[in-house]
Amino acid sequence: MRRDVYLVVVEGALEVPAATKILKALKCDLDSDAIIDKGGKVNFWRAAEKYNNAARVSGPILGIADLDNAPCPGALIAKYLKRGKA
């Protein structure tokens, strides 16, 4: 089954290979230029709401970040995406 992802935003360079493997597993034809490396957790989470809002309009945007000692992904999402995830 093929799934469309319009953009991928990653916390840093270490997440780029993970994003590439996920896209391959989802059978997504996404150009490597569509992977945006935010260069660290501060920049990633600062931009998270903007990309989340864009996903409401354009379609799926995959964001990949590490947990940084958070107990679960849901805790980070709730902390940074005040309007809920798109």
Side-chain angles (χ1 to χ4, degrees):
M1 171 172 38
R2 185 177 181 281
R3 299 187 189 253
D4 290 326
V5 173
Y6 295 98
L7 188 65
V8 177
V9 182
V10 297
E11 181 180 318
L14 293 176
E15 288 81 17
V16 173
T20 303
K21 286 187 179 209
I22 290 168
L23 293 171
K24 185 176 180 180
L26 292 173
K27 296 181 170 75
C28 289
D29 296 326
L30 191 67
D31 192 320
S32 62
D33 292 339
I35 299 176
I36 298 172
D37 178 352
K38 294 307 290 181
K41 69 179 178 181
V42 172
N43 292 332
F44 177 87
W45 288 112
R46 187 178 295 143
E49 192 67 47
K50 174 180 81 170
Y51 289 112
N52 192 47
N53 290 335
R56 292 183 204 294
V57 177
S58 67
I61 295 175
L62 176 63
I64 302 176
D66 59 58
L67 291 176
D68 288 326
N69 298 317
C72 66
L76 284 173
I77 291 168
K79 179 178 177 181
Y80 291 105
L81 301 180
K82 304 298 183 192
R83 293 181 32 204
K85 62 182 175 161

